Amino acid sequence: MSNKIKFILIGCLVMGFGTRLHAQNPLFIPPTLTGTTFNLNVQTGTQNFFPSNPTPTYGINGPFLSPTIIVNKGDVVTLNVNNGLPVATTMHWHGLHVAPENDGGPHQSIAAGTTWSPSFEILNQAGTFWYHPHGDGKTDLHVSKGLAGLFIVHDADELAAGLPITYGVDDIPIIVQTKAFDVLNQIAIADHMDTALFVNGTLDAYLTVPAQVVRFRLLNGSSMRSFDFGLSNNQVFYQVATDAGLRAAPLALTRLRLSPGERAEILVDFSALQGQQLDLMSFSSEMDYGIFGGPGLGTGMDTIHGYSENPLNGTDFTLVSMIVGAPTLAPVTSIPSGLVPFVPFDPIDADVNRTIVFDTLRLLPTNMPSLVEGPFGFNGETFDMGVINMEIPLNSTEVWTLVNKTLIAHPFHLHDVAFNVIEKNGTIPAPEEQGWKDVVLVMPNDSVKFI
């Protein structure tokens, strides 16, 4: 099989950046699973993304993608993950507060033909989480081939806030991913040539939205690329949730950057736009230097080969074209003034302060910068399945400081617990970077402190 990347064809499919795309395909809305027992059948399939060869894919309860799981805080759930793939996989509940034996990390491999059945209580407050494989060296491939879905938690505080909550109508999932393909339409592991843009598994997507307040659950499900979300008319929208739950109050924004794994919920008021069209976009030209997907990486010769040739990098492009239709029979027509009180931890109560340095694990002349493509490590060490690098006592409160000594921005994710960013380069971070989170993007030369 050729390992050449299909750059020209995919590039043509997503060209037209900075102008309105003529979207051709209705946005797919993943089906939902509710209750307390979930049977998740991981399987192979194919999809006809392009006119020639079908593309082999993975899916859960179908040939491609995964259903949206919807639960309530306090539910005790059982998730029967049946691996119908010819290879081992895993399944991680990204953002959920669960015990290590239920987490689904690299150590919890599900062999082909077997079933893993974790059970646990839903402890998280209302929020948008997601689930995906997390195998050692296999996360990128398995997620890119289709194994990714939302995991939505509801609770009483969310219901009392008066937010849009009718899934697929005024509460819309938006899972954004980019993928690389080879010349045989096979999904490839070549992140820097991720020229095919998918939203909910749909290329070139459009969506009809009602003329009222609509809630979008945004997930950056890409392996490396960050997106800078905004509307083509530069209309204000309102962030109502971060990774781990609702904010204290809606935050008015025109741009919201999400790195891989990050989620956010936003409200858009379409009430005055019936009959009009606008786009949900990524304004990637506005992202800072050093972020994968932005205008540039590294310095001099130390950059990613072919980065500037990727038509998504450093440009503004449409994610979903939206046509504003009639309102529903019982529309939400206003933005709530308050949501859920936010009570952060106080750094003075921290039991431990830790510093983690992102570094490049390669000997270099003293006059050369760290390499933009790594290999990378934490405090001079790389990942080893057989090593526990730090032991965190249960119920301890810790302040972590992340220092990025590499030439590329890194998204940092913690399992099980959420944190609040309290300091960035010695100052208070922007409002959209605060609140309960489980992913933070650490820029080159930045120091980020959270508790």
Side-chain angles (χ1 to χ4, degrees):
M1 181 187 301
S2 170
N3 61 0
K4 294 182 179 178
I5 300 302
K6 189 192 301 184
F7 172 73
I8 297 177
L9 174 57
I10 307 301
C12 291
L13 285 171
V14 295
M15 68 181 181
F17 307 115
T19 62
R20 184 70 51 84
L21 289 182
H22 299 288
Q24 300 295 319
N25 303 308
L27 179 70
F28 174 71
I29 303 296
T32 61
L33 296 176
T34 58
T36 56
T37 299
F38 300 93
N39 296 315
L40 305 176
N41 297 309
V42 185
Q43 62 190 78
T44 60
T46 60
Q47 292 290 295
N48 294 313
F49 295 128
F50 309 112
S52 51
N53 300 335
T55 298
T57 55
Y58 291 164
I60 293 179
N61 298 355
F64 184 54
L65 299 181
S66 307
T68 297
I69 297 174
I70 301 179
V71 299
N72 297 301
K73 183 179 180 181
D75 287 350
V76 177
V77 302
T78 299
L79 299 123
N80 299 312
V81 185
N82 177 47
N83 183 11
L85 302 180
V87 297
T89 190
T90 60
M91 199 60 63
H92 168 55
W93 323 107
H94 186 123
L96 292 188
H97 183 27
V98 297
E101 61 266 25
N102 297 320
D103 181 74
H107 289 88
Q108 292 164 309
S109 180
I110 310 169
T114 66
T115 299
W116 178 54
S117 299
S119 293
F120 51 85
E121 182 181 355
I122 300 298
L123 301 174
N124 296 74
Q125 66 179 22
T128 300
F129 309 94
W130 66 303
Y131 64 109
H132 61 83
H134 206 331
D136 183 17
K138 298 295 184 182
T139 301
D140 183 14
L141 178 62
H142 287 198
V143 172
S144 293
K145 293 190 76 169
L147 298 181
L150 291 189
F151 201 118
I152 294 174
V153 177
H154 293 306
D155 67 13
D157 290 336
E158 176 200 29
L159 295 177
L163 296 166
I165 204 167
T166 305
Y167 180 86
V169 178
D170 63 0
D171 186 352
I172 309 295
I174 301 290
I175 303 171
V176 183
Q177 296 178 302
T178 52
K179 306 179 192 292
F181 286 80
D182 64 24
V183 294
L184 297 178
N185 294 340
Q186 308 275 319
I187 294 172
I189 300 303
D191 291 336
H192 66 285
M193 296 303 290
D194 58 336
T195 56
L197 174 67
F198 289 79
V199 179
N200 297 356
T202 309
L203 284 166
D204 199 14
Y206 72 88
L207 171 70
T208 299
V209 295
Q212 61 197 64
V213 176
V214 175
R215 178 186 195 174
F216 293 101
R217 297 178 184 266
L218 307 178
L219 162 64
N220 181 352
S222 293
S223 297
M224 289 184 65
R225 180 174 300 279
S226 293
F227 301 95
D228 200 10
F229 290 87
L231 298 167
S232 56
N233 61 355
N234 283 317
Q235 176 178 333
V236 169
F237 57 85
Y238 300 87
Q239 184 189 16
V240 294
T242 53
D243 291 327
L246 297 175
R247 302 183 62 92
L251 176 65
L253 299 168
T254 58
R255 300 286 188 271
L256 179 59
R257 189 194 68 209
L258 296 181
S259 62
E262 278 191 285
R263 291 90 60 212
E265 298 176 24
I266 65 172
L267 300 181
V268 180
D269 189 353
F270 295 104
S271 300
L273 300 177
Q274 187 170 345
Q276 298 184 39
Q277 180 180 333
L278 69 159
D279 296 340
L280 179 65
M281 298 185 64
S282 178
F283 291 90
S284 299
S285 68
E286 300 175 12
M287 289 197 298
D288 292 335
Y289 198 94
I291 300 175
F292 188 96
L297 292 174
T299 59
M301 297 296 292
D302 190 8
T303 187
I304 293 177
H305 178 71
Y307 184 84
S308 61
E309 283 75 38
N310 187 324
L312 292 175
N313 291 337
T315 57
D316 302 335
F317 51 89
T318 295
L319 301 170
V320 182
S321 290
M322 298 181 291
I323 304 165
V324 184
T328 62
L329 293 178
V332 175
T333 57
S334 61
I335 306 297
S337 58
L339 295 166
V340 176
F342 175 59
V343 183
F345 295 116
D346 191 332
I348 200 172
D349 296 326
D351 302 300
V352 177
N353 286 265
R354 300 180 190 269
T355 297
I356 299 176
V357 178
F358 305 177
D359 44 31
T360 304
L361 302 178
R362 186 175 295 178
L363 296 175
L364 296 170
T366 56
N367 63 341
M368 289 184 63
S370 298
L371 298 180
V372 74
E373 293 192 86
F376 303 115
F378 292 150
N379 295 343
E381 298 181 85
T382 190
F383 177 69
D384 185 335
M385 286 276 283
V387 173
I388 297 174
N389 300 92
M390 293 181 288
E391 294 189 15
I392 314 299
L394 185 64
N395 297 323
S396 67
T397 301
E398 302 199 357
V399 172
W400 287 24
T401 301
L402 309 177
V403 180
N404 186 359
K405 293 296 186 181
T406 79
L407 292 177
I408 188 170
H410 294 278
F412 182 89
H413 168 54
L414 278 184
H415 288 208
D416 182 37
V417 294
F419 54 80
N420 174 45
V421 178
I422 56 175
E423 189 177 294
K424 184 176 181 180
N425 299 327
T427 62
I428 297 174
E432 63 269 25
E433 297 177 311
Q434 301 176 46
W436 295 122
K437 295 183 58 58
D438 55 59
V439 181
V440 62
L441 186 67
V442 186
M443 294 294 296
N445 300 312
D446 271 7
S447 173
V448 173
K449 183 178 291 188
F450 64 74
I451 183 170

